[in-house]
Amino acid sequence: MDNLSDEEIYNDRNRIEPFVKAITRNKHLFKDKIVLDLNAGMGLLSVLASESGAKQVIAMKANSYATEIMKLNNIQNAKLYNENVREVELNCKVDIIIAAWMGNMLFYGGCIQDVIYARDKYLNQDGFIMPDKGQLYLQSIEDSQYRKTKMNFWDSVYGVNMKWMKQWIAKEPLLESIKENQLNSDEQLIYEINLQTCTLKDLSFSNQYQVKIKRQDYATGVIVWMKYSFTYTHLPIHVIMGPTKSPYWKPVILYFREELPVNKGDKLEGSLAVKFESEELLQIKLSVHMQHYNYVSYFKLN
Amino acid sequence: MDNLSDEEIYNDRNRIEPFVKAITRNKHLFKDKIVLDLNAGMGLLSVLASESGAKQVIAMKANSYATEIMKLNNIQNAKLYNENVREVELNCKVDIIIAAWMGNMLFYGGCIQDVIYARDKYLNQDGFIMPDKGQLYLQSIEDSQYRKTKMNFWDSVYGVNMKWMKQWIAKEPLLESIKENQLNSDEQLIYEINLQTCTLKDLSFSNQYQVKIKRQDYATGVIVWMKYSFTYTHLPIHVIMGPTKSPYWKPVILYFREELPVNKGDKLEGSLAVKFESEELLQIKLSVHMQHYNYVSYFKLN
């Protein structure tokens, strides 16, 4: 929701509607509160926060249309800034921070660092963030056809030998969703983050997984997909960017070094480690163990 | 073809294949020639040019993989530069310039200025550019449903009055293709450019159009789509990015101020003027005349 431009408001309803619901159906949270909107853009969410009873709205990264949108909706308690929250010194604390901090695989391409910065500097002790939770899930997949086609392509690209690329391609996680019938295990929660308390250090992790294979098949890798939640709302709002349908942020596909023959009931085990270098660079390490198969693969999302 | 990364080579075959064909099926053009590749990226086209007989290939904007790709293909006569052609001083003239200079509506988002620069500075008198010609075509369309939906959306966006946006939305040309049955006139060539001779001034133009309406309908605007050609090849190669299917560069939809009732055989007349401010900013003026309808609309592509 980098700035909520007109094209985004018109096209990305899947991203915007959970925010709209979180604000407009939870007026009790906004009454007399000071709200900080980190990516105001045209000011849509700022207007809704104000109309929901906020005492004051501070809108960062507001674009040139926002002033007019405020006027048109008789919003008089919004302070608009073009700048990012790091570039401005605010002179008050806030009760609610609204921010689409999410990116692919939770953090990639998002703005989690801004949220942590704003929270530590401006959020009141009993204040909260919207959305305030994020989760990653992992599932095993069968995707050998696509992977093979994509890898073999480099053997001869219009007659040019580009085999050398294969080593790099293998390290590029795919940002793509997959077909339902390519999922061959149950899903497992592999990472969870609480925006209220997390530190920069928590954005890196190394966690074990163990998924149960559903059918006789090959496991070519895993898909990691995400969920984020507004839990301070009257009814919690959970938004799933799933493995087969992810209307905005994409899941990440990580291939094993080799495809593994698996049987129904097998337990595929391993670990997923993500090192958060920045919002533009995640280092990923995936290990997998099953019987005599033991592989470790390294990826870079940047 | 901004740099021809691996994702682009894999996914954008529609853009790449005409170049591949222009090079590999026209070895007679490359024999003993010096070739300047303006957007080498991984070096695919540079390798093909060298293999087609070029004496030397100068590859600009080569990425970090290009050196290895050259080695792997035993290319020893390619000089790689990471820089743009403007940032380097070459010490020889060239016979062929390869450049995907095209953008949406021919120039938007492309790199035509680099090509003109390189041509004037380095191209031999009997040298040529690939591709060397570009054309724009105009057709009348019926698109009122989509336009209305899109405009009315701003009356109440999740309850927020954003009517003010309508004036701006109306000035934004759409970069979209359209359905076959929404075209309601014949097509007309409205602009043509020859890369061999054009100057920066030629990128701006003001030309008349007259299209013939095919059925009783409404005309809500025009669609402007493009074609580019390699005419120095043994058989000319024409690439159409049409109104209904444009695998890469998009056509531009420009709406009239009001929709016009039209009948079969009517002649819809007017003019299209484009002022090329830069590759990132085109000013567009569209006029339309028919019976007592006379409208002028202004757009900005940026």
Side-chain angles (χ1 to χ4, degrees):
Chain A
M1 210 115 72
D2 219 34
N3 274 26
L4 268 185
S5 72
D6 57 319
E7 273 301 304
E8 279 165 343
I9 289 185
Y10 188 74
N11 292 319
D12 298 331
R13 301 181 198 193
N14 289 303
R15 260 195 314 167
I16 297 163
E17 280 176 12
F19 280 91
V20 170
K21 219 157 91 175
I23 299 170
T24 57
R25 297 190 76 192
N26 293 281
K27 296 199 168 66
H28 60 287
L29 296 176
F30 286 84
K31 185 149 175 43
D32 298 329
K33 294 292 165 60
I34 300 181
V35 177
L36 176 60
D37 179 356
L38 286 190
N39 302 86
M42 294 171 56
L44 175 68
L45 301 183
S46 292
V47 170
L48 294 176
S50 173
E51 289 180 346
S52 294
K55 186 166 69 186
Q56 206 198 339
V57 179
I58 303 166
M60 310 307 303
K61 294 172 88 177
N63 68 26
S64 56
Y65 300 139
T67 313
E68 287 299 325
I69 302 290
M70 296 298 146
K71 266 191 218 161
L72 207 56
N73 290 276
N74 295 314
I75 304 298
Q76 276 147 18
N77 61 350
K79 248 188 174 163
L80 307 183
Y81 294 92
N82 301 323
E83 293 91 346
N84 180 298
V85 68
R86 289 169 187 267
E87 300 161 341
V88 169
E89 196 59 39
L90 302 178
N91 57 10
C92 65
K93 294 271 177 178
V94 306
D95 303 298
I96 303 176
I97 295 174
I98 300 174
W101 46 265
M102 299 75 72
N104 298 310
M105 208 178 176
L106 268 187
F107 303 129
Y108 180 67
C111 63
I112 184 84
Q113 287 176 298
D114 286 349
V115 178
I116 294 176
Y117 171 91
R119 180 199 66 191
D120 291 349
K121 192 157 178 190
Y122 298 120
L123 191 64
N124 276 325
Q125 197 135 34
D126 56 351
F128 61 90
I129 296 165
M130 300 179 110
D132 60 298
K133 287 224 166 55
Q135 296 177 318
L136 289 176
Y137 290 81
L138 179 148
Q139 269 179 283
S140 155
I141 59 163
E142 196 289 308
D143 194 29
S144 53
Q145 192 58 47
Y146 183 75
R147 179 178 158 82
K148 254 180 225 149
T149 311
K150 197 157 180 175
M151 289 303 264
N152 293 344
F153 175 77
W154 301 100
D155 287 342
S156 171
V157 182
Y158 305 108
V160 175
N161 180 343
M162 291 201 165
K163 282 197 170 89
W164 192 78
M165 287 307 296
K166 288 183 168 187
Q167 60 184 306
W168 303 109
I169 306 297
K171 288 180 188 163
E172 282 181 12
L174 293 182
L175 289 174
E176 278 176 39
S177 41
I178 210 160
K179 292 198 192 89
E180 182 72 39
N181 64 10
Q182 294 183 277
L183 298 165
N184 58 17
S185 82
D186 59 356
E187 65 196 45
Q188 189 181 335
L189 176 64
I190 186 132
Y191 175 69
E192 205 163 3
I193 189 148
N194 182 347
L195 270 277
Q196 299 291 120
T197 54
C198 71
T199 64
L200 275 182
K201 254 177 66 189
D202 298 325
L203 307 184
S204 298
F205 64 90
S206 174
N207 291 335
Q208 306 294 314
Y209 67 86
Q210 187 195 66
V211 291
K212 207 170 153 191
I213 298 295
K214 284 184 191 168
R215 61 171 186 247
Q216 188 163 355
D217 203 354
Y218 290 90
T220 43
V222 297
I223 188 162
V224 182
W225 48 274
M226 74 185 216
K227 194 165 152 178
Y228 58 91
S229 309
F230 304 76
T231 71
Y232 284 83
T233 47
H234 180 60
L235 291 177
I237 298 169
H238 302 292
V239 186
I240 296 173
M241 295 279 148
T244 58
K245 200 179 156 252
S246 41
Y248 191 77
W249 291 290
K250 296 285 162 229
V252 175
I253 293 174
L254 306 168
Y255 291 119
F256 301 142
R257 271 195 10 237
E258 246 182 70
E259 54 179 29
L260 278 55
V262 291
N263 291 300
K264 188 172 173 172
D266 276 356
K267 277 169 188 146
L268 193 76
E269 297 182 320
S271 65
L272 177 74
V274 174
K275 187 152 178 251
F276 180 93
E277 307 274 4
S278 76
E279 280 137 358
E280 306 307 326
L281 174 56
L282 307 184
Q283 305 269 14
I284 303 169
K285 178 182 169 187
L286 175 73
S287 80
V288 60
H289 315 295
M290 218 200 63
Q291 295 147 14
H292 54 288
Y293 294 99
N294 282 291
Y295 296 130
V296 183
S297 322
Y298 296 87
F299 307 88
K300 220 175 172 178
L301 198 53
N302 80 333
Chain B
M1 213 117 67
D2 217 30
N3 274 28
L4 268 186
S5 72
D6 57 318
E7 274 300 304
E8 277 165 345
I9 289 184
Y10 189 74
N11 292 319
D12 298 330
R13 303 181 196 194
N14 289 302
R15 258 194 315 166
I16 296 163
E17 281 175 12
F19 280 91
V20 171
K21 217 156 92 177
I23 299 171
T24 58
R25 299 191 76 192
N26 293 280
K27 296 196 167 67
H28 61 286
L29 296 176
F30 285 84
K31 186 146 176 45
D32 298 329
K33 294 294 165 61
I34 300 181
V35 177
L36 176 60
D37 178 357
L38 286 190
N39 303 86
M42 295 171 54
L44 174 68
L45 301 183
S46 292
V47 170
L48 295 175
S50 173
E51 289 180 346
S52 295
K55 184 167 70 186
Q56 203 198 341
V57 179
I58 303 166
M60 312 306 304
K61 295 172 88 177
N63 70 25
S64 56
Y65 299 138
T67 313
E68 288 298 328
I69 302 291
M70 295 299 147
K71 267 192 220 161
L72 207 57
N73 291 276
N74 296 314
I75 304 300
Q76 276 147 18
N77 60 350
K79 249 191 175 162
L80 307 183
Y81 294 91
N82 301 322
E83 294 91 344
N84 181 299
V85 68
R86 289 170 187 269
E87 299 160 342
V88 169
E89 195 60 39
L90 302 177
N91 57 9
C92 66
K93 294 271 176 178
V94 305
D95 303 299
I96 303 177
I97 295 174
I98 300 175
W101 47 264
M102 301 74 73
N104 298 310
M105 207 175 176
L106 268 186
F107 303 129
Y108 180 66
C111 64
I112 184 84
Q113 285 175 299
D114 286 349
V115 179
I116 293 176
Y117 170 91
R119 180 198 66 193
D120 291 348
K121 192 158 178 189
Y122 298 119
L123 192 64
N124 276 326
Q125 198 136 30
D126 56 351
F128 60 91
I129 296 166
M130 300 182 110
D132 59 296
K133 287 227 165 55
Q135 296 179 317
L136 289 176
Y137 289 82
L138 178 148
Q139 268 179 284
S140 155
I141 60 166
E142 195 289 307
D143 194 28
S144 54
Q145 192 58 44
Y146 184 74
R147 179 178 158 84
K148 254 182 221 148
T149 311
K150 198 156 178 176
M151 290 303 263
N152 292 344
F153 175 78
W154 301 100
D155 288 341
S156 171
V157 181
Y158 306 108
V160 173
N161 180 342
M162 291 200 164
K163 283 198 169 90
W164 192 78
M165 288 306 296
K166 290 183 167 185
Q167 61 184 302
W168 302 109
I169 306 297
K171 288 180 187 162
E172 282 180 14
L174 293 183
L175 289 174
E176 278 176 40
S177 42
I178 209 159
K179 293 198 191 87
E180 182 72 38
N181 65 11
Q182 294 183 276
L183 298 166
N184 59 18
S185 82
D186 58 357
E187 65 197 45
Q188 189 182 336
L189 175 64
I190 186 131
Y191 175 69
E192 204 162 4
I193 187 148
N194 182 346
L195 270 278
Q196 298 291 118
T197 53
C198 71
T199 65
L200 277 182
K201 253 176 70 188
D202 298 324
L203 308 183
S204 299
F205 63 88
S206 175
N207 291 336
Q208 306 294 312
Y209 66 86
Q210 186 194 67
V211 291
K212 205 170 155 190
I213 298 296
K214 284 184 191 168
R215 61 171 184 247
Q216 187 162 355
D217 202 355
Y218 290 90
T220 44
V222 298
I223 189 162
V224 182
W225 49 274
M226 75 185 217
K227 195 165 154 178
Y228 58 91
S229 307
F230 303 76
T231 70
Y232 284 81
T233 47
H234 179 60
L235 291 178
I237 299 169
H238 301 290
V239 186
I240 296 172
M241 297 277 148
T244 59
K245 200 176 156 257
S246 40
Y248 192 76
W249 292 289
K250 297 285 162 228
V252 175
I253 294 174
L254 306 167
Y255 291 120
F256 301 141
R257 274 196 9 238
E258 246 181 74
E259 54 180 28
L260 278 58
V262 290
N263 291 300
K264 189 173 173 170
D266 276 357
K267 277 170 189 147
L268 194 74
E269 298 182 320
S271 66
L272 176 74
V274 174
K275 188 154 177 248
F276 179 92
E277 307 275 3
S278 77
E279 279 138 358
E280 306 308 324
L281 174 56
L282 307 184
Q283 305 269 13
I284 303 169
K285 178 182 169 186
L286 175 73
S287 79
V288 59
H289 317 293
M290 218 201 61
Q291 293 146 12
H292 52 289
Y293 294 98
N294 282 291
Y295 295 129
V296 183
S297 322
Y298 295 87
F299 307 87
K300 221 175 171 176
L301 198 52
N302 81 334

